[in-house]
Amino acid sequence: MRHAIVAFVMLAVGCADVTEPYELDHARVIAVRTEPATLAPGEAGTVAVLVTGGDGPRVVPADGLAVTVPAPLAPYVAVTRGPDGWTVVAPTAAQLAGLRAALGVPATEPAAVPLTITTTVDGVALVAHKWTVVDATAPNPTIAGVALDGVVAPVLRAAAGSTPRLSVTHDAGPAAVVRWLSSVGELAQYQSADATLDAAAPARGAIVVVVRDARGGVAWQIVPAEVE
Amino acid sequence: MTLFVAETGQAVVTDAAGAFTLPAGSGGITVVVVGAGYLDRTIELDARDAGPLRIALEAQAVDAAEVIVVEGERVRPAPGAAQLARDEITRVPGARGDLLSSVKNLPGVANNGSLTPFSAGLIIRGASPEDSRILVDGFEVPILYHFLGVQSVLPSEMIDSLEFVPGGFDVAIGGASAGIVDVRSRHGARAWGGLAEVSFVNGSGLIEGPLGERGSFALAARRSLIDAILPAVIPADADVAFTAYPRYYDYQGQAEYHVDDRLTLAGFVFGSNDGFDVISSAANSGDPAAAGGAANDTSFTRAIASATWATPRSRVRLAASGYTDTNHFRVGRDRYLLLDRDGAAARLELERQLARRVVVTGGAEVDATRNQYDIRFTRPPREGDPTPPSFTYDALLAMVGSSTNRDVGAWAAATVRPGPAEVTAGVRLDGDLRGDHWTAQPRARGKLRLDDATTLQASTGLYARPARLLDENLQPDLVPERALNSSLGIERRLADQLTLQTTGFYNRLSRLTVLAGDRRDPMSEAGYRNVGTGTGFGLEALVTYKSPRAFAWLAYTYAHATRVDGPGAPTRRFDYDQSHNLIAVGSWRLGAWQLGARFQLTTGKPYTPVQGAEFMSDVDGYQPVYGAVNSQRVATQHQLDLRVDRRWRFRDWSLALYLDVANAYLNAAVVDYSCNFDYSQRQAVTTLPILPSLGVRGEL
């Protein structure tokens, strides 16, 4: 019995990252957001997707996305692409029972719409999933500012060889999950509200912060950064 | 040397070469072999044993080099079975003198490397490590090796014999659907003696001597030295800090007393402990809940007492065991698995020769185990599940409680020997009283001596393994997994010093335990189901050469093992499927020097390719997209091990120095791949590029 557990633990904790998760060096999805974060029955929300790739972090335009829901949910959830981008319309109150039945969710649990987003970045096909809860309307959190050593500026500037602190001001509450990403320097504690930038060598790029709240709400901010 | 026939008092003296001739009898006889400087040895023979016979005598001191092993026709208990000679095995390069580690050099055992996540168990004939049992004096021990296979839990000096049966074992053993490793503890010598040994791996000591007028004892202990070495090799700027460095220890105490010529009392107490506690400040982006470190505290104790009453025609052994097991694991800050077991078991073995060509055996055993658990952990990965465990995203098993397992077993068999043939048939009944599961297991095997040099053997039978692996034990409705195992083999003496043994096997598995649902889906609490099936077949060959100055063997296994994870599921390769495994071992004695080499060439382990990953925005993680399970293999593995022994003899003691180098030409073989956080890159998990062990050993 023991050898199975030890092997299990080694597999779990012994996997080293080759590319660090804070790096913005290759094509991948960073976050998906619906606006508002949770939808009231019958309410419509828009879908936005933040990606990174060779051109750095950016929000994908609507014509570069495809948003779908599983076929069994099509009678209850409408997903369309219009001039304002991709829109998802939550089921009405009368349709919620059908949605729950299709998802296998009991009546006591909140229903959520699983969205599948596909896009292509740098020739790489990417797939992302986002669950949007159907309940009372709730907004996404907001980011008031991103600071480098306490200084908020349109461009974050650090001296080469310094290790300034990154911080974010948001309204996502104490349960918020903060993720930092950067194409300059190296980041430490990038999974916490306050990260540290190791600005070893001169570089230009961007720093991204993503804040997630407990209701599925998402906010992000892309800030140009320079190490001089 | 002198051989005494107990029934008649007749004495036979060997000639200068050690040869002897015993008179043929109509029934069984008991032969006592006595020689100055060696332990007395008692052997029971009957008329069917007519023909060449070789008897090994052990020196009174624990000098393994003085064990005389004489070749002979062994009566194999099953096709493919092997009994290991300690003087050879302890000199096999790469095994670091460890008899139990050398089992991996035999046909039927897959190469799972050393010091890798896959190397801690024995993979026998395409079966999971949990499908085989390791028995010491008839009772199971939970583990065979310390720390992922670096060293076994029993030192070679405390082992009298080790029988490895990869399949087709008789009805006296239950609870295993693949193979068994049956270890008999070694009693101490009547003369005072001892040894001390220090190597890079561990330090050990042993003392033995007389116990009263007719008994002996042996005490031994061993402790790893890695915790003394690690502080010197871990970089000062590493982001890990050990609260407890990895270490292990084990201990053994054995006593035996011959009350009279027929009754022997024996006791064996032994135990093992492995542990480490590491704190890490490194982030774990792929599995944040696993960040912070890990700890392990695993131990077991066994106390076995037995009484054996033996006459030329009968043998009765009654044994009882008390035991404790501790398995404590912690990962991250709040993921832990605390399992404690304690219990008692008893076993009665009976054997009686009813007539000249008929022997009957039977027995019964009971085992009661109390399990206590405190768990906040994910479900462990199952065989065939490529998804790496995640302490963050996997559904949590969180429970505190206790349970009791009560297992009973009984068996009976008869052996008849018409002419050159021998047929044994029997049945075993195992009962799991907690789940009320009963399994009858008929088994049979036969042997036919074709000529003086050739023996044909065959076996078939039903074998069952109870569902007791990790969280299987939480689900008493699971029935035992089953295996219908069959084999056919032939043994032939090619020349005086050269033998060939080949065995073909076919195993059909059913009722395999499969997880119903997604391990990562918290809504998927369907648990396990006995819906899996599988097959394993292959061919094993072993050529051995033995002379006074050298020994060598060539072992080859071809195996193919597949699994089906339920009705309608596709057939896939077994996780440890290994098509080819070739091992060549040779050792030569040149005066006071002994030189050895071992080479192994094996097919790479199967793995499941990752074709991509999908981003799960709400948890900021990636879900891998896999290709067909186990559809690819890592590269073929090859390894050369070397060993040099040098011995100095003095009047009352001897000193030995050895250098054992595993993986001498630095081939860090790939055993698997691990992926980065978004599965866009992968990294090879390799064996150690080299593992040298330098040791010194003094013996009285």
Side-chain angles (χ1 to χ4, degrees):
Chain A
M1 175 159 71
R2 189 203 62 132
H3 52 70
I5 302 176
V6 172
F8 178 27
V9 170
M10 282 192 63
L11 282 169
V13 303
C15 180
D17 285 344
V18 181
T19 298
E20 294 289 346
Y22 64 76
E23 294 178 21
L24 294 166
D25 62 339
H26 65 278
R28 62 186 174 106
V29 179
I30 296 174
V32 178
R33 176 173 65 197
T34 57
E35 183 61 53
T38 62
L39 303 176
E43 186 178 18
T46 58
V47 179
V49 178
L50 178 66
V51 300
T52 185
D55 295 333
R58 68 181 191 279
V59 175
V60 183
D63 59 359
L65 290 178
V67 181
T68 59
V69 294
L73 305 186
Y76 314 107
V77 182
V79 179
T80 57
R81 195 183 118 197
D84 296 329
W86 284 89
T87 301
V88 55
V89 181
T92 63
Q95 291 176 312
L96 269 180
L99 175 67
R100 283 198 170 91
L103 290 170
V105 176
T108 54
E109 299 286 329
V113 176
L115 302 173
T116 298
I117 299 96
T118 55
T119 186
T120 299
V121 177
D122 298 344
V124 179
L126 302 175
V127 179
H129 300 277
K130 165 75 179 168
W131 289 71
T132 300
V133 173
V134 181
D135 198 349
T137 300
N140 282 297
T142 58
I143 293 174
V146 176
L148 191 76
D149 274 344
V151 178
V152 177
V155 177
L156 301 177
R157 288 190 171 85
S162 66
T163 54
R165 186 174 65 92
L166 289 163
S167 58
V168 58
T169 305
H170 59 77
D171 59 1
V177 176
V178 178
R179 294 288 181 268
W180 293 90
L181 304 97
S182 176
S183 56
V184 297
E186 296 181 2
L187 292 182
Q189 286 86 47
Y190 54 86
Q191 293 174 316
S192 60
D194 294 331
T196 302
L197 175 66
D198 183 359
R204 290 189 174 192
I207 287 175
V208 176
V209 62
V210 179
V211 178
R212 291 178 169 85
D213 67 18
R215 298 168 302 186
V218 182
W220 62 66
Q221 188 159 335
I222 305 169
V223 187
E226 294 179 7
V227 177
E228 300 166 329
Chain B
M1 304 290 169
T2 304
L3 292 79
F4 295 97
V5 180
E7 284 74 16
T8 63
Q10 183 181 2
V12 175
V13 180
T14 63
D15 64 18
F20 59 88
T21 303
L22 280 174
S26 58
I29 59 172
T30 303
V31 177
V32 181
V33 188
V34 178
Y38 295 93
L39 299 173
D40 295 353
R41 172 127 189 225
T42 302
I43 299 169
E44 292 186 16
L45 304 171
D46 62 31
R48 68 191 163 87
D49 288 312
L53 173 69
R54 299 195 176 197
I55 302 171
L57 292 187
E58 188 176 337
Q60 284 186 328
V62 286
D63 182 348
E66 291 303 317
V67 174
I68 296 177
V69 174
V70 268
E71 301 167 37
E73 297 177 36
R74 300 211 51 81
V75 180
R76 306 284 186 199
Q83 198 158 20
L84 303 179
R86 192 169 59 201
D87 71 325
E88 290 182 7
I89 287 295
T90 54
R91 290 193 178 89
V92 171
R96 297 175 292 280
D98 192 339
L99 200 155
L100 287 171
S101 293
S102 297
V103 170
K104 293 184 178 181
N105 290 305
L106 295 173
V109 184
N111 172 23
N112 53 353
S114 184
L115 288 174
T116 77
F118 314 103
S119 57
L122 284 180
I123 298 156
I124 300 174
R125 286 186 178 171
S128 298
E130 299 77 26
D131 297 340
S132 299
R133 286 183 86 193
I134 305 131
L135 304 167
V136 174
D137 289 344
F139 294 96
E140 183 171 29
V141 293
I143 56 173
L144 188 56
Y145 301 114
H146 292 292
F147 278 137
L148 309 177
V150 66
Q151 195 85 2
S152 67
V153 295
L154 273 181
S156 302
E157 295 78 18
M158 293 301 295
I159 296 174
D160 178 65
S161 68
L162 184 151
E163 191 170 66
F164 167 67
V165 190
F169 49 89
D170 69 19
V171 292
I173 305 297
S177 57
I180 58 167
V181 176
D182 191 7
V183 175
R184 295 289 166 181
S185 63
R186 173 185 168 275
H187 60 80
R190 288 275 300 157
W192 284 97
L195 68 83
E197 179 174 346
V198 177
S199 73
F200 285 168
V201 178
N202 51 229
S204 62
L206 177 146
I207 186 170
E208 61 185 345
L211 189 66
E213 293 298 317
R214 302 171 68 98
S216 63
F217 78 94
L219 298 172
R222 187 167 56 172
R223 193 190 189 285
S224 64
L225 300 178
I226 191 169
D227 48 339
I229 298 170
L230 268 182
V233 299
I234 292 180
D237 59 350
D239 53 14
V240 297
F242 282 93
T243 303
Y245 283 102
R247 54 105 185 90
Y248 65 79
Y249 63 81
D250 56 59
Y251 55 90
Q252 302 82 28
Q254 210 274 0
E256 186 172 276
Y257 195 83
H258 300 279
V259 177
D260 56 33
D261 291 343
R262 295 186 173 184
L263 179 62
T264 300
L265 304 178
F268 188 33
V269 177
F270 60 105
S272 163
N273 181 283
D274 286 54
F276 69 84
D277 191 344
V278 59
I279 297 171
S280 171
S281 59
N284 190 333
S285 57
D287 195 354
N296 163 39
D297 180 15
T298 299
S299 63
F300 75 83
T301 56
R302 294 290 184 275
I304 300 170
S306 68
T308 305
W309 183 80
T311 69
R313 289 181 178 275
S314 301
R315 180 178 178 276
V316 179
R317 179 174 184 262
L318 177 62
S321 171
Y323 58 87
T324 65
D325 292 346
T326 298
N327 295 278
H328 290 181
F329 295 89
R330 177 185 58 76
V331 175
R333 291 174 180 82
D334 67 345
R335 299 290 190 269
Y336 52 83
L337 176 71
L338 310 177
L339 301 175
D340 294 281
R341 298 192 327 142
D342 55 77
R347 181 177 171 89
L348 175 66
E349 301 168 5
L350 307 168
E351 182 177 330
R352 173 71 179 169
Q353 183 169 4
L354 291 183
R356 195 164 68 94
R357 294 178 179 275
V358 180
V359 175
V360 293
T361 58
E365 59 186 351
V366 295
D367 191 342
T369 308
R370 183 179 58 180
N371 309 292
Q372 292 181 291
Y373 48 85
D374 184 356
I375 303 171
R376 185 175 164 79
F377 222 61
T378 98
R379 283 193 186 276
R382 301 292 301 186
E383 189 279 325
D385 179 3
T387 312
S390 170
F391 292 96
T392 306
Y393 306 125
D394 284 4
L396 270 186
L397 280 179
M399 57 185 68
V400 179
S402 64
S403 65
T404 302
N405 295 334
R406 296 183 187 88
D407 299 315
V408 297
W411 64 91
T415 300
V416 294
R417 300 179 178 112
E422 175 183 300
V423 177
T424 300
V427 66
R428 178 183 179 90
L429 180 66
D430 281 321
D432 169 5
L433 302 186
R434 181 185 175 208
D436 195 22
H437 306 304
W438 295 85
T439 310
Q441 299 153 77
R443 301 172 190 173
R445 64 174 191 262
K447 182 175 71 174
L448 179 64
R449 184 168 295 183
L450 301 177
D451 56 42
D452 285 347
T454 311
T455 303
L456 190 67
Q457 297 182 79
S459 75
T460 188
L462 188 63
Y463 297 81
R465 174 185 82 79
R468 296 285 159 75
L469 171 66
L470 295 173
D471 56 336
E472 292 176 354
N473 207 21
L474 301 172
Q475 201 175 323
D477 61 317
L478 291 174
V479 301
E481 296 185 351
R482 287 187 172 192
L484 179 61
N485 297 344
S486 303
S487 63
L488 178 66
I490 190 166
E491 266 188 75
R492 180 164 177 79
R493 182 180 298 278
L494 302 175
D496 272 354
Q497 298 171 322
L498 199 63
T499 61
L500 167 67
Q501 182 183 345
T502 62
T503 305
F505 65 89
Y506 180 82
N507 301 335
R508 198 172 65 188
L509 317 177
S510 59
R511 299 183 178 184
L512 300 183
T513 306
V514 174
L515 181 63
D518 184 350
R519 185 158 48 86
R520 292 201 165 177
D521 182 358
M523 303 299 292
S524 175
E525 280 303 317
Y528 295 113
R529 295 287 179 268
N530 290 105
V531 295
T533 59
T535 59
F537 61 86
L539 180 70
E540 301 157 358
L542 177 65
V543 179
T544 60
Y545 168 82
K546 205 180 295 184
S547 75
R549 290 190 173 275
F551 68 87
W553 73 72
L554 186 67
Y556 170 74
T557 304
Y558 168 78
H560 183 65
T562 58
R563 298 289 186 270
V564 178
D565 295 323
T571 300
R572 61 169 176 82
R573 281 186 188 131
F574 173 58
D575 271 1
Y576 305 101
D577 178 52
Q578 195 165 77
S579 302
H580 306 282
N581 186 13
L582 176 71
I583 302 167
V585 174
S587 185
W588 301 265
R589 181 176 294 179
L590 301 170
W593 293 85
Q594 180 106 20
L595 309 175
R598 170 187 175 276
F599 179 74
Q600 184 163 26
L601 181 69
T602 52
T603 307
K605 180 183 175 295
Y607 75 94
T608 303
V610 175
Q611 296 181 327
E614 298 183 352
F615 180 64
M616 314 302 287
S617 180
D618 298 297
V619 294
D620 192 27
Y622 292 82
Q623 185 77 37
V625 177
Y626 291 103
V629 174
N630 290 335
S631 58
Q632 297 192 14
R633 290 184 183 276
V634 300
T636 299
Q637 300 182 27
H638 48 90
Q639 176 171 324
L640 176 68
D641 305 330
L642 301 172
R643 183 179 173 101
V644 180
D645 291 79
R646 174 69 165 89
R647 178 178 292 271
W648 294 268
R649 296 183 184 281
F650 305 100
R651 181 177 173 183
D652 297 322
W653 66 292
S654 67
L655 181 69
L657 190 67
Y658 62 86
L659 176 63
D660 192 315
V661 182
N663 209 1
Y665 58 75
L666 310 177
N667 178 41
V670 176
V671 295
D672 204 357
Y673 294 101
S674 65
C675 292
N676 71 332
F677 71 99
D678 66 347
Y679 299 87
S680 61
Q681 295 171 301
R682 72 179 189 184
Q683 199 172 31
V685 178
T686 65
T687 58
L688 286 178
I690 191 168
L691 182 58
S693 179
L694 178 66
V696 61
R697 177 184 177 106
E699 298 174 11
L700 291 173

